[in-house]
Amino acid sequence: MMEIREKIREWYHINKRPLPWREISDPYQIWVSEIILQQTRVIQGMDYYHRFLERFPNLESLAIAKEAEVLKVWEGLGYYSRARNMQAAAKYILHERKGVFPETYKEMMKMKGVGPYTAAAVSSIAFHEPQAVVDGNVQRVISRLFGIEEVPGTYTSSSRIQAEAYSLLDQEDPGNHNQAVMELGALVCTPTSPDCSSCPLQQDCVAYLQNRIAELPLKNKPGKRRRRYFHYLVIQDREAIWIGRRTGKDIWEGLFEFPLIETTRPYSTKSLRATSEWLNLFGSTVQALQVTGPFRHILSHQEIIAKFYHLNEPPDFVLEGYKKIKLGRLDPYPLPKLILNYINRK
Ligand code: SF4
């Protein structure tokens, strides 16, 4: 194992990308980078990382910000609960821990939105605690390197991967070791067509030696996405438009959107005008001036089919829970990417 560890260390030393969070030891900044990089490509994440730290350079500034400001910086990155959880964790540290960032894996696990992956990454990188990180990249490298055949996502497979990750861990320099294995997974041992000819572990790798790279790690059948039909009502008079904040435990909680009618199947404009939601809002006289879409928007477990209905605001129109915003003043409001794309389309 010693030799494998050294090969990884040497490879990393020569090949690592010079990413901004590699040169820091501040746990707040490392935590920010780790949360942003979950579900996000490095190139896109880098931009958000800089923007986030520019606006919230320390824990206190994040804790005391308005939620809409935090979501605005996060706009377009998706998985918005990450941003809300970060702010909740910052408030917890500020109020319950006198602003002192937790220094151990165990203490970090008390922060909202921090699971074993983030706690292992931040504690090993910022405080050199010997915790092995297991993310998607590490899982792939380890499954191939050790020829792990258990079905992914099962208890047996997770504990086997975890055990191998710890057996491989460099106890002296766990932070760099963890980053090295993740980097190897990101740059060389990629999901399809890994570059085995430049891999330092070629002669140790079960998948390579047994010619089973395409087969490992074993794949889960993709789950079926839930399809939802969103009908957005773009209600405007000459200079303002109606928007409201999404509430409830659903996608895009806390973000703003146009008034919405949701259906479980496709609706024609005629059928939409006959729904109780439409009739309650507009009665039977108001017509959509223009209908745009459908647009398909894919999320991890959901598929949204969206249409946008442009309407002139009827006289004396009031919409409880929504507000009228001057056109051109939408900027401070965090919007889901689906709406941003619609507004910014050519
Ligand atoms: Fe991955 Fe190929 Fe290296 Fe094995 S030899 S760890 S499959 S890149």
Side-chain angles (χ1 to χ4, degrees):
M1 210 57 95
M2 180 75 166
E3 212 190 320
I4 297 182
R5 202 176 296 142
E6 271 162 16
K7 287 180 187 172
I8 295 174
R9 187 192 304 154
E10 199 168 304
W11 175 87
Y12 183 62
H13 184 66
I14 299 165
N15 294 286
K16 68 175 171 188
R17 290 168 292 180
L19 302 175
W21 46 84
R22 295 241 156 98
E23 314 309 327
I24 51 173
S25 55
D26 174 11
Y28 169 75
Q29 295 181 5
I30 292 169
W31 170 57
V32 170
S33 74
E34 289 300 336
I35 300 286
I36 287 179
L37 287 179
Q38 289 166 22
Q39 327 276 358
T40 306
R41 281 171 298 114
V42 163
I43 297 293
Q44 190 195 17
M46 200 131 70
D47 201 29
Y48 278 91
Y49 172 77
H50 288 305
R51 231 184 300 162
F52 196 92
L53 287 181
E54 205 170 292
R55 175 61 192 84
F56 310 113
N58 49 40
L59 199 110
E60 189 177 0
S61 53
L62 175 60
I64 63 173
K66 285 194 181 128
E67 186 191 84
E69 282 180 88
V70 182
L71 292 173
K72 187 68 199 172
V73 177
W74 209 265
E75 188 179 76
L77 195 54
Y79 299 93
Y80 294 89
S81 56
R82 289 182 292 172
R84 283 192 301 271
N85 287 342
M86 277 180 86
Q87 192 179 28
K91 285 183 177 164
Y92 156 76
I93 296 172
L94 189 65
H95 301 305
E96 311 286 323
R97 300 183 48 89
K98 301 193 172 97
V100 177
F101 201 96
E103 294 190 3
T104 63
Y105 175 95
K106 203 169 153 215
E107 289 300 314
M108 285 175 203
M109 287 290 282
K110 294 180 188 161
M111 293 163 62
K112 203 162 178 197
V114 169
Y117 163 78
T118 312
V122 181
S123 65
S124 66
I125 298 170
F127 300 106
H128 312 291
E129 187 173 328
Q131 296 288 347
V133 168
V134 180
D135 73 342
N137 283 325
V138 175
Q139 275 179 26
R140 190 168 57 253
V141 172
I142 289 193
S143 300
R144 286 172 174 162
L145 180 62
F146 297 101
I148 294 177
E149 302 195 17
E150 281 87 4
V151 177
T154 59
Y155 176 73
T156 342
S157 134
S158 312
S159 42
R160 172 92 200 272
I161 290 174
Q162 185 91 357
E164 298 293 10
Y166 273 97
S167 70
L168 205 57
L169 185 68
D170 183 344
Q171 304 277 332
E172 304 297 313
D173 192 4
N176 275 321
H177 169 88
N178 281 329
Q179 294 188 80
V181 185
M182 288 191 273
E183 191 78 335
L184 188 69
L187 298 183
V188 177
C189 194
T190 48
T192 48
S193 328
D195 186 6
C196 301
S197 58
S198 8
C199 179
L201 309 182
Q202 201 188 66
Q203 289 315 310
D204 309 284
C205 176
V206 172
Y208 178 81
L209 296 171
Q210 296 181 356
N211 201 15
R212 296 172 58 210
I213 294 156
E215 196 186 307
L216 293 174
L218 294 182
K219 311 212 174 22
N220 265 332
K221 285 201 191 97
K224 218 172 163 225
R225 285 199 176 94
R226 172 181 161 215
R227 188 176 282 177
R228 303 171 72 175
Y229 297 87
F230 281 13
H231 307 271
Y232 277 120
L233 309 173
V234 188
I235 309 165
Q236 68 183 82
D237 65 15
R238 268 181 316 176
E239 63 211 33
I241 198 157
W242 288 86
I243 60 167
R245 189 169 175 272
R246 274 184 83 88
T247 52
K249 293 278 160 236
D250 194 2
I251 54 168
W252 307 332
E253 187 191 342
L255 270 66
F256 286 77
E257 63 182 358
F258 304 124
L260 169 69
I261 297 176
E262 179 174 351
T263 59
T264 50
R265 57 182 174 79
Y267 268 47
S268 66
T269 308
K270 191 172 163 211
S271 348
L272 194 74
R273 286 186 62 209
T275 59
S276 54
E277 290 100 322
W278 182 289
L279 291 170
N280 282 342
L281 282 172
F282 309 116
S284 55
T285 50
V286 173
Q287 302 251 16
L289 299 175
Q290 187 198 333
V291 182
T292 319
F295 299 100
R296 199 159 155 255
H297 189 77
I298 303 284
L299 301 167
S300 54
H301 302 295
Q302 302 188 21
E303 178 183 4
I304 312 290
I305 310 292
K307 284 189 187 173
F308 294 81
Y309 302 74
H310 283 255
L311 307 152
N312 278 338
E313 184 185 306
D316 305 322
F317 184 73
V318 180
L319 195 50
E320 217 166 291
Y322 288 79
K323 48 177 148 187
K324 252 173 113 170
I325 303 295
K326 286 229 162 83
L327 290 169
R329 295 267 171 87
L330 274 174
D331 205 41
Y333 296 90
L335 305 169
K337 203 161 186 188
L338 170 64
I339 305 239
L340 272 179
N341 288 348
Y342 176 72
I343 292 174
N344 297 329
R345 79 197 191 290
K346 293 260 172 343

Short mmCIF file of all heavy atoms in Angstrom, two decimals, residues 126-163:
data_model
loop_
_atom_site.label_atom_id
_atom_site.label_comp_id
_atom_site.label_asym_id
_atom_site.label_seq_id
_atom_site.Cartn_x
_atom_site.Cartn_y
_atom_site.Cartn_z
N ALA A 126 -7.79 21.35 6.26
CA ALA A 126 -7.50 22.53 7.10
C ALA A 126 -6.78 22.15 8.39
O ALA A 126 -5.98 22.92 8.91
CB ALA A 126 -8.80 23.27 7.42
N PHE A 127 -7.08 20.94 8.94
CA PHE A 127 -6.53 20.60 10.27
C PHE A 127 -5.71 19.30 10.28
O PHE A 127 -5.37 18.80 11.35
CB PHE A 127 -7.68 20.51 11.29
CG PHE A 127 -8.43 21.81 11.42
CD1 PHE A 127 -9.69 21.97 10.86
CD2 PHE A 127 -7.85 22.90 12.06
CE1 PHE A 127 -10.38 23.18 10.96
CE2 PHE A 127 -8.54 24.12 12.15
CZ PHE A 127 -9.79 24.26 11.61
N HIS A 128 -5.46 18.72 9.10
CA HIS A 128 -4.63 17.52 8.96
C HIS A 128 -5.16 16.34 9.77
O HIS A 128 -4.40 15.50 10.23
CB HIS A 128 -3.17 17.81 9.34
CG HIS A 128 -2.66 19.06 8.67
ND1 HIS A 128 -2.44 19.12 7.31
CD2 HIS A 128 -2.40 20.29 9.16
CE1 HIS A 128 -2.06 20.35 6.99
NE2 HIS A 128 -2.03 21.09 8.10
N GLU A 129 -6.46 16.29 9.96
CA GLU A 129 -7.02 15.14 10.67
C GLU A 129 -7.06 13.96 9.70
O GLU A 129 -7.48 14.11 8.55
CB GLU A 129 -8.44 15.49 11.14
CG GLU A 129 -9.05 14.42 12.03
CD GLU A 129 -10.39 14.84 12.63
OE1 GLU A 129 -10.60 16.05 12.90
OE2 GLU A 129 -11.23 13.95 12.83
N PRO A 130 -6.63 12.78 10.13
CA PRO A 130 -6.56 11.65 9.18
C PRO A 130 -7.94 11.07 8.86
O PRO A 130 -8.30 9.99 9.32
CB PRO A 130 -5.66 10.63 9.90
CG PRO A 130 -5.73 11.00 11.35
CD PRO A 130 -6.05 12.45 11.45
N GLN A 131 -8.69 11.77 8.07
CA GLN A 131 -10.01 11.31 7.61
C GLN A 131 -9.94 11.13 6.11
O GLN A 131 -9.46 12.01 5.40
CB GLN A 131 -11.07 12.37 7.94
CG GLN A 131 -11.30 12.64 9.41
CD GLN A 131 -12.03 11.50 10.10
OE1 GLN A 131 -12.59 10.60 9.46
NE2 GLN A 131 -12.02 11.51 11.43
N ALA A 132 -10.44 9.97 5.64
CA ALA A 132 -10.40 9.71 4.19
C ALA A 132 -11.66 10.25 3.52
O ALA A 132 -12.77 9.97 3.97
CB ALA A 132 -10.28 8.22 3.94
N VAL A 133 -11.47 11.01 2.47
CA VAL A 133 -12.60 11.54 1.71
C VAL A 133 -13.07 10.48 0.72
O VAL A 133 -12.26 9.84 0.05
CB VAL A 133 -12.16 12.80 0.92
CG1 VAL A 133 -13.21 13.20 -0.09
CG2 VAL A 133 -11.87 13.94 1.87
N VAL A 134 -14.39 10.29 0.64
CA VAL A 134 -14.91 9.39 -0.39
C VAL A 134 -15.98 10.15 -1.18
O VAL A 134 -17.11 10.29 -0.74
CB VAL A 134 -15.52 8.11 0.24
CG1 VAL A 134 -16.06 7.21 -0.86
CG2 VAL A 134 -14.48 7.37 1.06
N ASP A 135 -15.60 10.67 -2.33
CA ASP A 135 -16.58 11.30 -3.22
C ASP A 135 -16.69 10.44 -4.48
O ASP A 135 -16.13 9.33 -4.52
CB ASP A 135 -16.18 12.76 -3.54
CG ASP A 135 -15.00 12.82 -4.50
OD1 ASP A 135 -14.28 11.79 -4.64
OD2 ASP A 135 -14.78 13.87 -5.12
N GLY A 136 -17.40 10.92 -5.48
CA GLY A 136 -17.59 10.13 -6.70
C GLY A 136 -16.28 9.76 -7.38
O GLY A 136 -16.09 8.63 -7.83
N ASN A 137 -15.33 10.71 -7.41
CA ASN A 137 -14.04 10.43 -8.04
C ASN A 137 -13.27 9.34 -7.28
O ASN A 137 -12.70 8.43 -7.88
CB ASN A 137 -13.18 11.71 -8.08
CG ASN A 137 -13.64 12.65 -9.18
OD1 ASN A 137 -14.05 12.21 -10.24
ND2 ASN A 137 -13.57 13.94 -8.92
N VAL A 138 -13.28 9.47 -5.95
CA VAL A 138 -12.54 8.50 -5.13
C VAL A 138 -13.19 7.12 -5.27
O VAL A 138 -12.50 6.10 -5.42
CB VAL A 138 -12.53 8.95 -3.65
CG1 VAL A 138 -11.88 7.90 -2.77
CG2 VAL A 138 -11.82 10.30 -3.50
N GLN A 139 -14.51 7.09 -5.25
CA GLN A 139 -15.21 5.80 -5.40
C GLN A 139 -14.80 5.09 -6.68
O GLN A 139 -14.57 3.89 -6.70
CB GLN A 139 -16.72 6.03 -5.47
CG GLN A 139 -17.35 6.12 -4.11
CD GLN A 139 -18.84 6.39 -4.21
OE1 GLN A 139 -19.47 6.05 -5.20
NE2 GLN A 139 -19.39 7.00 -3.20
N ARG A 140 -14.70 5.87 -7.76
CA ARG A 140 -14.36 5.27 -9.06
C ARG A 140 -12.94 4.73 -9.06
O ARG A 140 -12.68 3.60 -9.46
CB ARG A 140 -14.56 6.31 -10.16
CG ARG A 140 -14.48 5.78 -11.55
CD ARG A 140 -14.96 6.80 -12.55
NE ARG A 140 -14.23 8.05 -12.48
CZ ARG A 140 -14.71 9.18 -11.97
NH1 ARG A 140 -15.93 9.23 -11.48
NH2 ARG A 140 -13.98 10.28 -11.95
N VAL A 141 -11.99 5.56 -8.57
CA VAL A 141 -10.60 5.13 -8.55
C VAL A 141 -10.46 3.86 -7.71
O VAL A 141 -9.84 2.87 -8.13
CB VAL A 141 -9.68 6.24 -7.98
CG1 VAL A 141 -8.26 5.74 -7.78
CG2 VAL A 141 -9.68 7.47 -8.88
N ILE A 142 -11.07 3.86 -6.53
CA ILE A 142 -10.90 2.73 -5.62
C ILE A 142 -11.60 1.47 -6.16
O ILE A 142 -11.05 0.38 -6.09
CB ILE A 142 -11.40 3.12 -4.21
CG1 ILE A 142 -10.38 4.11 -3.65
CG2 ILE A 142 -11.59 1.92 -3.31
CD1 ILE A 142 -10.45 4.40 -2.22
N SER A 143 -12.79 1.66 -6.74
CA SER A 143 -13.50 0.49 -7.30
C SER A 143 -12.65 -0.17 -8.37
O SER A 143 -12.57 -1.40 -8.46
CB SER A 143 -14.83 0.89 -7.93
OG SER A 143 -15.64 1.48 -6.98
N ARG A 144 -12.01 0.64 -9.21
CA ARG A 144 -11.20 0.06 -10.29
C ARG A 144 -9.89 -0.49 -9.75
O ARG A 144 -9.48 -1.60 -10.10
CB ARG A 144 -10.93 1.12 -11.36
CG ARG A 144 -12.16 1.43 -12.20
CD ARG A 144 -11.95 2.60 -13.11
NE ARG A 144 -13.07 2.81 -14.03
CZ ARG A 144 -13.28 3.95 -14.69
NH1 ARG A 144 -12.45 4.97 -14.54
NH2 ARG A 144 -14.31 4.06 -15.50
N LEU A 145 -9.26 0.29 -8.90
CA LEU A 145 -7.94 -0.11 -8.38
C LEU A 145 -8.02 -1.45 -7.63
O LEU A 145 -7.18 -2.32 -7.82
CB LEU A 145 -7.43 1.00 -7.44
CG LEU A 145 -6.08 0.84 -6.78
CD1 LEU A 145 -4.97 0.75 -7.81
CD2 LEU A 145 -5.81 2.03 -5.84
N PHE A 146 -9.06 -1.62 -6.81
CA PHE A 146 -9.18 -2.84 -6.01
C PHE A 146 -10.17 -3.85 -6.61
O PHE A 146 -10.44 -4.88 -6.00
CB PHE A 146 -9.59 -2.49 -4.58
CG PHE A 146 -8.56 -1.66 -3.86
CD1 PHE A 146 -8.73 -0.30 -3.71
CD2 PHE A 146 -7.40 -2.24 -3.36
CE1 PHE A 146 -7.76 0.48 -3.07
CE2 PHE A 146 -6.44 -1.48 -2.71
CZ PHE A 146 -6.61 -0.11 -2.57
N GLY A 147 -10.73 -3.52 -7.76
CA GLY A 147 -11.66 -4.45 -8.42
C GLY A 147 -12.89 -4.72 -7.58
O GLY A 147 -13.31 -5.88 -7.42
N ILE A 148 -13.50 -3.68 -7.04
CA ILE A 148 -14.67 -3.86 -6.17
C ILE A 148 -15.92 -4.13 -7.00
O ILE A 148 -16.25 -3.36 -7.90
CB ILE A 148 -14.84 -2.62 -5.25
CG1 ILE A 148 -13.65 -2.58 -4.31
CG2 ILE A 148 -16.17 -2.67 -4.49
CD1 ILE A 148 -13.61 -1.40 -3.38
N GLU A 149 -16.61 -5.23 -6.67
CA GLU A 149 -17.72 -5.64 -7.53
C GLU A 149 -19.07 -5.51 -6.88
O GLU A 149 -20.08 -5.90 -7.46
CB GLU A 149 -17.49 -7.10 -7.94
CG GLU A 149 -16.18 -7.28 -8.65
CD GLU A 149 -16.08 -8.58 -9.38
OE1 GLU A 149 -17.12 -9.20 -9.59
OE2 GLU A 149 -14.96 -8.97 -9.71
N GLU A 150 -19.11 -5.01 -5.66
CA GLU A 150 -20.41 -4.86 -5.01
C GLU A 150 -21.22 -3.77 -5.72
O GLU A 150 -20.64 -2.82 -6.24
CB GLU A 150 -20.26 -4.47 -3.53
CG GLU A 150 -19.93 -5.65 -2.63
CD GLU A 150 -18.43 -5.90 -2.55
OE1 GLU A 150 -17.67 -5.12 -3.13
OE2 GLU A 150 -18.04 -6.92 -1.93
N VAL A 151 -22.53 -3.93 -5.69
CA VAL A 151 -23.40 -2.95 -6.36
C VAL A 151 -23.28 -1.60 -5.64
O VAL A 151 -23.41 -1.53 -4.42
CB VAL A 151 -24.86 -3.44 -6.34
CG1 VAL A 151 -25.79 -2.41 -6.98
CG2 VAL A 151 -24.95 -4.77 -7.06
N PRO A 152 -23.00 -0.52 -6.39
CA PRO A 152 -22.81 0.78 -5.74
C PRO A 152 -24.05 1.24 -4.98
O PRO A 152 -25.17 0.92 -5.35
CB PRO A 152 -22.54 1.73 -6.92
CG PRO A 152 -22.85 0.98 -8.14
CD PRO A 152 -22.89 -0.46 -7.84
N GLY A 153 -23.79 1.96 -3.91
CA GLY A 153 -24.91 2.49 -3.12
C GLY A 153 -25.35 1.53 -2.03
O GLY A 153 -26.13 1.89 -1.15
N THR A 154 -24.89 0.26 -2.06
CA THR A 154 -25.28 -0.68 -1.00
C THR A 154 -24.34 -0.50 0.18
O THR A 154 -23.24 0.05 0.05
CB THR A 154 -25.17 -2.14 -1.49
OG1 THR A 154 -23.82 -2.37 -1.87
CG2 THR A 154 -26.09 -2.40 -2.66
N TYR A 155 -24.76 -1.02 1.32
CA TYR A 155 -23.94 -0.91 2.54
C TYR A 155 -22.60 -1.62 2.33
O TYR A 155 -21.54 -1.09 2.67
CB TYR A 155 -24.70 -1.51 3.74
CG TYR A 155 -23.86 -1.49 4.98
CD1 TYR A 155 -23.62 -0.30 5.65
CD2 TYR A 155 -23.28 -2.67 5.46
CE1 TYR A 155 -22.82 -0.27 6.79
CE2 TYR A 155 -22.48 -2.65 6.59
CZ TYR A 155 -22.26 -1.45 7.25
OH TYR A 155 -21.46 -1.43 8.36
N THR A 156 -22.64 -2.82 1.73
CA THR A 156 -21.41 -3.59 1.53
C THR A 156 -20.42 -2.81 0.66
O THR A 156 -19.23 -2.73 0.97
CB THR A 156 -21.69 -4.92 0.79
OG1 THR A 156 -23.06 -5.22 0.88
CG2 THR A 156 -20.81 -6.04 1.25
N SER A 157 -20.94 -2.24 -0.43
CA SER A 157 -20.03 -1.53 -1.31
C SER A 157 -19.46 -0.29 -0.62
O SER A 157 -18.25 -0.03 -0.68
CB SER A 157 -20.77 -1.19 -2.60
OG SER A 157 -20.56 0.12 -2.99
N SER A 158 -20.32 0.50 0.08
CA SER A 158 -19.81 1.71 0.73
C SER A 158 -18.78 1.36 1.79
O SER A 158 -17.73 2.02 1.89
CB SER A 158 -20.92 2.48 1.42
OG SER A 158 -21.98 2.62 0.57
N SER A 159 -19.05 0.31 2.60
CA SER A 159 -18.07 0.04 3.66
C SER A 159 -16.77 -0.52 3.08
O SER A 159 -15.70 -0.26 3.60
CB SER A 159 -18.65 -0.87 4.75
OG SER A 159 -19.38 -1.89 4.19
N ARG A 160 -16.86 -1.27 1.99
CA ARG A 160 -15.62 -1.78 1.37
C ARG A 160 -14.79 -0.62 0.82
O ARG A 160 -13.58 -0.53 1.06
CB ARG A 160 -16.05 -2.77 0.26
CG ARG A 160 -14.97 -3.28 -0.62
CD ARG A 160 -14.36 -4.59 -0.13
NE ARG A 160 -13.03 -4.79 -0.74
CZ ARG A 160 -12.85 -5.39 -1.91
NH1 ARG A 160 -13.87 -5.86 -2.58
NH2 ARG A 160 -11.62 -5.52 -2.40
N ILE A 161 -15.45 0.30 0.11
CA ILE A 161 -14.73 1.46 -0.46
C ILE A 161 -14.14 2.31 0.66
O ILE A 161 -12.97 2.72 0.60
CB ILE A 161 -15.66 2.28 -1.37
CG1 ILE A 161 -15.98 1.48 -2.64
CG2 ILE A 161 -15.03 3.63 -1.75
CD1 ILE A 161 -16.97 2.08 -3.58
N GLN A 162 -14.93 2.52 1.69
CA GLN A 162 -14.47 3.30 2.85
C GLN A 162 -13.22 2.65 3.46
O GLN A 162 -12.22 3.32 3.73
CB GLN A 162 -15.62 3.31 3.87
CG GLN A 162 -15.40 4.16 5.08
CD GLN A 162 -15.93 5.57 4.84
OE1 GLN A 162 -16.40 5.87 3.75
NE2 GLN A 162 -15.84 6.42 5.83
N ALA A 163 -13.28 1.34 3.64
CA ALA A 163 -12.16 0.62 4.26
C ALA A 163 -10.90 0.75 3.40
O ALA A 163 -9.79 1.00 3.91
CB ALA A 163 -12.53 -0.85 4.46
#
